[in-house]
Amino acid sequence: MNHIVCLLPGDGIGPEVTTAAREVIDASGVDVEWVVLPVGTTALEFCGSVLPARTLAAIEGHGLALKGPTTTPVGSGHPSINVELRKRLNLFAAVRPVRSLPGIKTRFDNVDLIIVRENTEGLYSGIENEVVEGVVQSLKIATTKGCSRIARFAFDYAASRNRKKITVFHKANIMKMSDGLFLRCARKVQSQYADRIEYDEMIIDNGCMQLVRDPSKFDVLLLENLYGDIVSDLAAGLVGGLGVVPGANFGKSCAVFEAVHGSAPDIARQGIANPLACIMSGVMLLNYVGETAAATKIRNAYDHVLQEANPETLTPDIGGTGTTQSFTEAIIRALM
Ligand code: ATP
């Protein structure tokens, strides 16, 4: 079956890692027609917009995209393209599976988490203003609709994957109303799953401490937007860094797959970016469209390459001396 997938190379290392993912997916034998679309600062140069209307329309039309990271200026400049894209396409749920990988030495070898992040509300609503000179405010938005739908998504997702426990990280002791609402909605949904899924709540500072001490205590984490962003990177650190953690953003009619990492301008265009997170995001995409055999084939291939642990193959972030290309080519060879 032929699948039409929008491919958004994005900024920084985006073009390098999305090219790698495309090559691996094509080599797996799946029939994908790629529609390459501009997004990010690169798009600004050629289309006059960081998120061109035709890019949005194409993702909406095809319902499926593999996206590279985009650069967000710090402290000023254009708003985050990711935040904008998630809002415009109503991609309300981000899923980031974080698991220990063979051959990558880290403090723990038994990490197997799924992070579910609310993607459209919280402090990322982007509503900020200067009240008077020297005083600014940022609004944290929480709605019953938004909190309930992410909770329902998390419990459905966990149940469909036979996961046993959901832990909500929150700060409802301080943000009694917004995080309080998040908790109330999660508890309400939880009551419908009480026979199947264990439920726990943890104040986020304690949760982070527990997570880095013993990640095996956790199964699925459910977080509002900002906490989910931060804890995703923290969890990535448990399994080898940002180069090895994939992600997906789901809405009602669209799914956009992208690695957790950003555009990594410090290593862009050097050919040393780890393509694995983007390739793994591609594997999530293949599973999503029902191409499970190809997804498993790719997963086995990169597990094999990691297991071999040939430093000449792997990228520097996971202890190798290789390049994006050497890593990608090794995965493609392992597919054959
Ligand atoms: P953003 O806020 O846009 O998500 P970030 O602050 O999380 O970005 P990244 O761009 O992800 O930052 O980079 C953080 C660090 O991780 C940098 O040192 C970068 O080089 C490294 N890094 C990120 N992705 C990769 C990758 N695929 N391969 C190797 N190193 C990476």
Side-chain angles (χ1 to χ4, degrees), residues 13 17 69-72 82 229 233 242-244 259-267 272-278 315-317:
I13 60 170
V17 296
T70 47
T71 302
T72 310
N82 283 338
D229 193 5
D233 278 30
L242 287 170
V244 299
V260 169
H261 64 72
S263 61
D266 54 329
I267 56 162
I272 54 164
N274 188 339
L276 192 55
C278 191
T315 45
D317 61 305

Side-chain angles (χ1 to χ4, degrees), residues 189-205:
V189 175
Q190 183 270 336
S191 63
Q192 295 149 30
Y193 290 82
D195 56 331
R196 277 166 289 166
I197 298 177
E198 204 186 319
Y199 175 76
D200 197 11
E201 295 168 354
M202 238 177 233
I203 293 178
I204 188 163
D205 30 6

Side-chain angles (χ1 to χ4, degrees), residues 99-164:
R99 72 171 175 107
S100 298
L101 292 162
I104 299 187
K105 287 198 178 49
T106 53
R107 185 184 294 263
F108 306 100
D109 57 10
N110 57 349
V111 181
D112 185 11
L113 301 166
I114 295 179
I115 296 177
V116 178
R117 164 187 174 188
E118 203 292 320
N119 237 356
T120 58
E121 299 193 333
L123 277 166
Y124 285 23
S125 305
I127 306 170
E128 295 191 309
N129 70 306
E130 186 167 33
V131 186
V132 290
E133 203 186 329
V135 181
V136 296
Q137 62 179 3
S138 298
L139 296 188
K140 174 162 170 158
I141 307 293
T143 66
T144 303
K145 185 179 165 209
C147 298
S148 301
R149 93 181 154 176
I150 193 65
R152 267 195 309 276
F153 178 93
F155 278 93
D156 282 350
Y157 198 89
S160 70
R161 278 152 185 82
N162 211 17
R163 292 288 181 150
K164 299 290 176 230

